[in-house]
Amino acid sequence: MEQVEKTALVTGAGKGIGKAIALAFAQAGYNVIINYNGSKEAAQSVLKEAESYGVKAITIQADVSNDEQVKAMIDQAMEQFGRIDVLVNNSGINKDGLMMRMSLEDFHKVIAVNLEGTFNCIKHVSRIMMKQRSGSIINMSSVVGLIGNAGQANYASSKAGVIGLTKSAARELALRQIRVNAIAPGFIDTDMTAKLAEKDKTKMMEQIPLKTFGKPEDVANVCVALASDAFSYVTGQVIHVDGGMVM
Ligand code: NAP
């Protein structure tokens, strides 16, 4: 019997956690669609690395907060591969600041990328997965979406919203055997956390029972497992990847 080649689309896959996720799917034998917004060269080097696992890979530029660009990305992905088995909504930004100084523009920008971007991608990819009657969607939330964080009202709201969106999508799509789950990473070593002050990192470490910061691969491994048949009865869940920070 001919084996179906599976395809995974990872947003924001040029660097950080998204890069590790795209490479983990490539290593697991999936063809990968590497979305990026600004990191063109980085995405190109992820493509080369993915291809070294013997799978097909393409890069597609799209701002996930722009519905038309997302639609064009999905059309291009379908032209190339004809199916999308896994969507990982990984793209995310932060614009931190205390609420009394936070502009509405900075509040909305973070919601637009983190929450509306996730909505845009689910909307267009779910149409394809509905026809396939299969699929796994994984949305990147954060422990901050569960417990809040001073200075991150916009980011925490977006990540809490991602959890509501995940559960609603899980209920809407379950009849077509499409599973939708979220991952809530704690502190993972990437560009996003590199900008934190040392004193904030030390404070954060005190709250992590496993006493170590996470690596992008820690999140990537959970994504591949969650998309696999081993997790076929799991939907609408939020999986914490945080060294025990929130329990
Ligand atoms: P990162 O290194 O800053 O990477 C962010 C990624 O998002 C980049 O690939 C970037 O793409 C992409 N992106 C930003 N705006 C975009 C847009 N408008 N359209 C498409 N892509 C866009 O951050 P990271 O730490 O890897 O974070 C990845 C995800 O995990 C985010 O959703 C973040 O909120 C979440 N998370 C991270 C941590 C952590 O501790 N690091 C903890 C909890 C949750 P370009 O570079 O191409 O623009």
Side-chain angles (χ1 to χ4, degrees):
M1 202 170 69
E2 204 191 323
Q3 185 94 23
V4 177
E5 283 186 24
K6 290 197 167 181
T7 301
L9 164 58
V10 184
T11 68
K15 60 180 190 159
I17 295 172
K19 172 183 175 178
I21 295 170
L23 292 176
F25 275 105
Q27 195 169 11
Y30 288 74
N31 295 328
V32 285
I33 300 148
I34 298 154
N35 159 259
Y36 67 94
N37 188 32
S39 301
K40 186 175 181 181
E41 282 84 33
Q44 205 55 36
S45 93
V46 176
L47 176 138
K48 292 260 151 51
E49 215 176 321
E51 285 177 339
S52 74
Y53 292 111
V55 298
K56 297 181 200 112
I58 56 169
T59 61
I60 307 180
Q61 194 277 332
D63 173 350
V64 292
S65 68
N66 182 315
D67 185 57
E68 277 175 25
Q69 290 184 26
V70 170
K71 187 178 178 312
M73 169 172 72
I74 306 307
D75 288 348
Q76 195 185 329
M78 284 302 283
E79 250 170 55
Q80 189 79 21
F81 294 116
R83 58 185 295 124
I84 299 174
D85 299 280
V86 177
L87 163 67
V88 185
N89 285 306
N90 164 79
S91 291
I93 58 167
N94 63 328
K95 287 186 181 292
D96 299 350
L98 293 176
M99 253 191 289
M100 57 184 187
R101 282 199 288 268
M102 186 180 285
S103 65
L104 186 58
E105 196 189 346
D106 278 357
F107 188 87
H108 185 244
K109 181 71 192 155
V110 172
I111 298 285
V113 174
N114 299 6
L115 183 56
E116 294 175 12
T118 302
F119 168 78
N120 290 337
C121 293
I122 293 177
K123 180 173 150 182
H124 291 291
V125 171
S126 64
R127 290 195 182 120
I128 290 151
M129 290 182 169
M130 299 256 282
K131 285 194 196 127
Q132 289 171 187
R133 293 184 173 270
S134 71
S136 170
I137 298 174
I138 299 168
N139 301 322
M140 213 50 72
S141 180
S142 166
V143 290
V144 166
L146 294 159
I147 60 173
N149 197 19
Q152 290 199 305
N154 47 4
Y155 184 79
S157 303
S158 74
K159 294 301 183 178
V162 163
I163 293 175
L165 178 60
T166 298
K167 294 184 181 189
S168 301
R171 289 185 190 276
E172 271 190 37
L173 302 173
L175 276 178
R176 299 289 179 106
Q177 302 304 311
I178 300 162
R179 297 184 297 108
V180 189
N181 292 289
I183 294 183
F187 186 106
I188 311 294
D189 245 330
T190 66
D191 286 355
M192 190 176 271
T193 44
K195 32 190 185 189
L196 283 174
E198 276 313 312
K199 67 170 179 21
D200 293 331
K201 288 189 190 176
T202 308
K203 246 167 77 188
M204 196 91 68
M205 185 65 92
E206 283 164 13
Q207 299 166 40
I208 304 173
L210 284 180
K211 290 294 164 229
T212 176
F213 293 141
K215 301 181 296 303
E217 291 72 23
D218 293 322
V219 179
N221 292 339
V222 175
C223 283
V224 174
L226 204 44
S228 77
D229 289 345
F231 279 75
S232 59
Y233 202 51
V234 177
T235 194
Q237 303 305 308
V238 182
I239 314 289
H240 300 192
V241 182
D242 64 359
M245 201 172 171
V246 175
M247 60 171 101

